[in-house]
Amino acid sequence: MKQHQYQVNVKYLSDHEGNEMNQEITFSAPNHDNIFAIIEKTQQRDGFTLEMAQRFAVGLKLMTEVTMEHRDNPLFKELKPYIMEMMKVIKGKSRKVGD
């Protein structure tokens, strides 16, 4: 399957006490979805700022792509029903709690 290719950079700026840190990681993160399109759709939801949409969409897509790629891993097999239900809620295809 052809995938969109991304590079993720995370720079550790400071710890919880405000001490300056100087660590950085960079890794490739291929994904079957266009993450930028997902960020745009996410930002249109009520209460989502651009930064919140970016953090949510990138985190979600990084996690779900790994779980799909390694679906035979015992941990991901166990998590699959919960991830599927979460995706239904996010995509608006599930009843809300209390309905």
Side-chain angles (χ1 to χ4, degrees), residues 3-73:
Q3 294 183 310
H4 301 270
Q5 300 298 313
Y6 299 95
Q7 177 176 298
V8 177
N9 302 301
V10 179
K11 186 173 182 181
Y12 189 9
L13 300 176
S14 64
D15 67 12
H16 65 282
E17 295 176 350
N19 299 309
E20 187 175 319
M21 305 303 286
N22 189 24
Q23 289 180 297
E24 194 167 348
I25 57 172
T26 300
F27 56 90
S28 63
N31 200 286
H32 70 279
D33 284 323
N34 178 336
I35 295 175
F36 288 90
I38 293 171
I39 290 168
E40 188 175 311
K41 287 180 186 176
T42 303
Q43 187 182 3
Q44 295 170 5
R45 294 181 78 110
D46 285 341
F48 272 77
T49 64
L50 175 58
E51 182 180 313
M52 185 177 167
Q54 291 169 336
R55 291 168 51 197
F56 181 78
V58 170
L60 181 67
K61 293 310 300 173
L62 289 174
M63 180 190 73
T64 56
E65 194 71 18
V66 170
T67 62
M68 285 176 38
E69 289 174 357
H70 302 281
R71 63 179 58 95
D72 292 332
N73 180 297

